[in-house]
Amino acid sequence: MSEATVLLNKQDGVGVITLNRPKVYNAINQQLSQELVEVLQQVAQDDDIRSVLITGAGKAFCSGQDLGDRSAMQKKGDHFALGDSVRERYNPLIETLSGLDKPVIAAVNGVAAGAGCSLALACDIRFITPSTRFVEAFVRIGLAVDSGSSYFLPRLVGLGKALELAMSGRDVEAEEALAIGLAERMVEEGKLFDEAFAFARQLAEGPTVAIGLTKRAIIRGMESSLSEALEFEAEVQELAGRTHDFLEGVQAFAEKRKPQFKGK
């Protein structure tokens, strides 16, 4: 059997997902994309995992599509349609990731390029270091953006900046990434995992259902009218109000103590 390309470790309510092809900067091949979807589905169904942290083994987060994999297919004469590849490999991955009703933190070490950049953008919050680089690299090999970049990038940085980054395919260094909204927190080199994990653990100790509903409401609110957003807030608040954690939160407030949320 080939070595696992995606690792899952559970600790303190956090599901730590590690992309595990460090020799090729965690480039995405068929095995990695399939295993990542399977791990994300496992995480979604595991009530003991209340937040998720995604990072890459070695020097990079993810360098995108494994072009060596594509080249080998071409040399063998295997026929493939890029549209079908996007639909079958990347679309299910991004939809599964963005559909998690749990907070997802990306610890973006080194480069996140192409589909690897899209993967980072599909997470809820990104931690970076001064050596992190984001690259919408598709245009560099004559391709358009995929893997959700057309959706997430303009929502994070605005339409004009999204077009500039995607059309140029240039490197976005850490300081700029933080300034324009590609990342939320920058930490010192060597402290990336610890800082990101500490934040993920903090969220894992929170009211998981309410956090998931908050995530859904904010994302949906970006595409709703005010009336629609207000109605959806009422709907999710009804659900949150039925949870154990709401009762615990109110009781803890009355007793002037820290709440002990159970994630249900």
Side-chain angles (χ1 to χ4, degrees):
M1 293 180 62
S2 57
E3 183 179 7
T5 61
V6 179
L7 307 177
L8 174 62
N9 177 50
K10 296 191 292 184
Q11 183 180 345
D12 296 337
V14 180
V16 179
I17 298 174
T18 305
L19 309 182
N20 188 41
R21 299 188 72 213
K23 292 182 179 179
V24 291
Y25 301 103
N26 303 311
I28 302 172
N29 61 2
Q30 182 67 40
Q31 181 184 351
L32 188 147
S33 60
Q34 180 177 339
E35 289 182 358
L36 184 52
V37 169
E38 292 171 354
V39 166
L40 290 170
Q41 291 172 339
Q42 179 182 342
V43 164
Q45 298 170 6
D46 191 336
D47 291 338
D48 291 332
I49 294 177
R50 293 165 61 184
S51 70
V52 181
L53 174 60
I54 301 179
T55 193
K59 297 180 179 180
F61 179 75
C62 178
S63 59
Q65 167 63 41
D66 188 340
L67 296 180
D69 192 39
R70 287 276 190 252
S71 179
M73 292 176 66
Q74 287 178 321
K75 288 180 180 179
K76 287 176 19 181
D78 292 346
H79 173 74
F80 64 92
L82 287 178
D84 290 341
S85 176
V86 169
R87 293 186 187 96
E88 295 168 7
R89 178 183 296 189
Y90 291 102
N91 291 0
L93 169 58
I94 298 302
E95 288 181 339
T96 303
L97 173 60
S98 63
L100 285 177
D101 282 331
K102 302 175 183 183
V104 183
I105 315 304
V108 186
N109 51 313
V111 69
C117 181
S118 300
L119 182 65
L121 301 189
C123 297
D124 300 322
I125 299 167
R126 284 150 294 281
F127 278 62
I128 63 174
T129 73
S131 64
T132 298
R133 289 181 296 122
F134 293 92
V135 192
E136 289 286 353
F138 302 95
V139 72
R140 293 187 181 186
I141 56 171
L143 292 179
V145 295
D146 65 28
S147 307
S149 271
S150 68
Y151 182 88
F152 295 108
L153 186 61
R155 283 167 170 77
L156 290 170
V157 304
L159 177 59
K161 180 57 69 174
L163 288 169
E164 187 259 320
L165 296 180
M167 289 177 175
S168 67
R170 67 176 177 84
D171 290 13
V172 180
E173 304 292 342
E175 289 285 355
E176 182 184 4
L178 191 65
I180 65 176
L182 282 181
E184 284 65 50
R185 295 195 186 182
M186 182 159 63
V187 301
E188 296 177 25
E189 299 286 355
K191 295 185 178 181
L192 177 63
F193 181 84
D194 290 343
E195 294 281 351
F197 181 83
F199 184 72
R201 182 172 56 192
Q202 175 186 334
L203 295 182
E205 294 172 352
T208 308
V209 175
I211 290 173
L213 292 172
T214 296
K215 175 178 173 177
R216 286 166 55 188
I218 289 176
I219 292 172
R220 181 163 174 168
M222 293 191 70
E223 299 177 333
S224 302
S225 68
L226 176 58
S227 295
E228 291 168 340
L230 291 171
E231 173 55 30
F232 191 67
E233 287 177 353
E235 293 173 9
V236 297
Q237 202 69 294
E238 177 68 24
L239 296 174
R242 298 174 185 174
T243 63
H244 167 278
D245 284 344
F246 168 64
L247 297 177
E248 165 62 11
V250 172
Q251 187 172 350
F253 178 81
E255 297 174 357
K256 298 182 179 180
R257 60 173 174 82
K258 181 179 179 180
Q260 300 296 316
F261 295 122
K262 302 296 183 183
K264 56 185 179 181

